[in-house]
Amino acid sequence: MQVTTLSDGHLTLPRSLLFASLDPEAVDQILQARGIAAGPMHPPLNVTLLRHAGRLVLFDAGSGPGFQNTAGQLTAALDAAGVTPDEISHVVFTHCHPDHLWGVLDDFDDPLFPNAQYLMGEAEWAYWFDPNTASTISGDRASMAVGALRRLEVMEERLSRFGDGQEILPGVAAHASHGHTPGHMSFELRDGQQSLLIGGDAIGNHHVSFVQPEWAIGTDQDANLAAKTRLRLLDMLSHDQMQLIGYHLPKGGIGRVEKAPTGYRFISSFEE
């Protein structure tokens, strides 16, 4: 397996979106210790590309042209990697938030990856494909639900669904990591003795969610379940010394997790 990450750019998010329910002084202390300046947050967007057994597989599809102007750079990143969109054989989704799903369509609302098969967890599909979700989800997320449904309708005929623990491609197993969204999935890659977890947004940042993984994060739809999932994954990753790719983690998102005096720490592969 050859695994790399491609940048789709970054987001610009107000701190209140992430940390509104937390003690501002405690959050600032964690962020300042990691050199993160005051003001909006700028999480990177790391799309994983897997080359294996004649397949070119993307995990998530980036933001596309209609989300934020600092994002939607996946096509340029693919070009820099020597890959054209029509060479992508599979697109596997962790979940249906805009920065992971909306990039499946191009500027003309046509499929960007014309030859790809799509794969998504059954629970995630069922939630976002339900037309009632847009009216029952919190008001600030309704447009996300409408945008997700439109893209799922385009992909429906070429999309396969799967459950927890299922081997979806050779060497790639689905790992339920619900909470950030109702059906969020991570993916465990194994090649010989080496293993790696593509974690999506189950561990959504390298600072607060590592130091205090039990704290609620505002972008998690079910914050309590997401915190339990986060703790379980961090414990597994540190205990098993499994590599991690996080969609919003720094420096390409590839690294490992180790225990710290308080919580855990993320060690980027570029720092080792």
Side-chain angles (χ1 to χ4, degrees):
M1 290 182 170
Q2 295 181 332
V3 179
T4 189
T5 56
L6 307 173
S7 175
D8 189 51
H10 68 271
L11 301 179
T12 300
L13 304 176
R15 288 196 183 197
S16 60
L17 181 65
L18 299 171
F19 309 129
S21 67
L22 303 177
D23 177 1
E25 291 186 6
V27 170
D28 285 345
Q29 184 176 5
I30 293 172
L31 297 180
Q32 289 169 10
R34 281 149 187 80
I36 299 172
M41 307 298 291
H42 301 285
L45 305 172
N46 304 306
V47 176
T48 300
L49 174 67
L50 166 66
R51 295 177 170 93
H52 183 232
R55 299 177 180 87
L56 280 175
V57 184
L58 284 180
F59 291 85
D60 292 325
S63 305
F67 190 48
Q68 290 194 7
N69 59 13
T70 57
Q73 299 175 19
L74 179 59
T75 52
L78 284 167
D79 183 62
V83 177
T84 59
D86 61 355
E87 292 179 293
I88 298 299
S89 61
H90 299 79
V91 182
V92 181
F93 296 97
T94 60
H95 64 295
C96 289
H97 280 170
D99 52 323
H100 298 254
L101 172 68
W102 286 16
V104 295
L105 301 183
D106 64 15
D107 294 350
F108 304 99
D109 276 356
D110 292 323
L112 179 61
F113 309 105
N115 300 315
Q117 296 295 311
Y118 305 111
L119 299 96
M120 182 179 294
E122 178 66 48
E124 188 73 359
W125 166 272
Y127 179 77
W128 296 100
F129 198 70
D130 182 349
N132 294 318
T133 295
S135 59
T136 56
I137 199 171
S138 62
D140 59 336
R141 299 175 188 243
S143 63
M144 294 166 49
V146 172
L149 177 58
R150 183 163 67 86
R151 287 160 177 83
L152 294 179
E153 288 174 339
V154 172
M155 296 189 296
E156 182 178 10
E157 292 185 359
R158 290 165 49 198
L159 190 143
S160 300
R161 300 185 288 279
F162 53 81
D164 181 30
Q166 185 173 338
E167 186 176 51
I168 61 170
L169 292 169
V172 181
H175 187 117
S177 47
H178 303 170
H180 181 68
T181 61
H184 186 286
M185 282 285 186
S186 301
F187 302 95
E188 184 176 333
L189 278 57
R190 287 200 173 270
D191 189 3
Q193 298 301 310
Q194 295 183 308
S195 62
L196 179 149
L197 187 76
I198 297 172
D201 285 6
I203 307 171
N205 63 71
H206 71 292
H207 32 75
V208 172
S209 288
F210 275 76
V211 178
Q212 299 289 352
E214 72 280 6
W215 286 2
I217 300 297
T219 51
D220 291 333
Q221 195 161 335
D222 184 333
N224 290 331
L225 178 57
K228 293 177 182 177
T229 295
R230 191 158 49 242
L231 280 162
R232 175 175 57 82
L233 293 181
L234 288 167
D235 181 67
M236 179 188 75
L237 289 160
S238 61
H239 181 271
D240 296 348
Q241 287 297 288
M242 182 186 297
Q243 284 189 292
L244 169 68
I245 295 180
Y247 200 77
H248 297 300
L249 301 186
K251 300 181 180 179
I254 305 173
R256 59 183 178 86
V257 176
E258 65 178 29
K259 289 281 289 182
T262 301
Y264 300 82
R265 64 168 61 93
F266 176 68
I267 309 296
S268 168
S269 294
F270 291 97
E271 296 172 344
E272 295 185 315

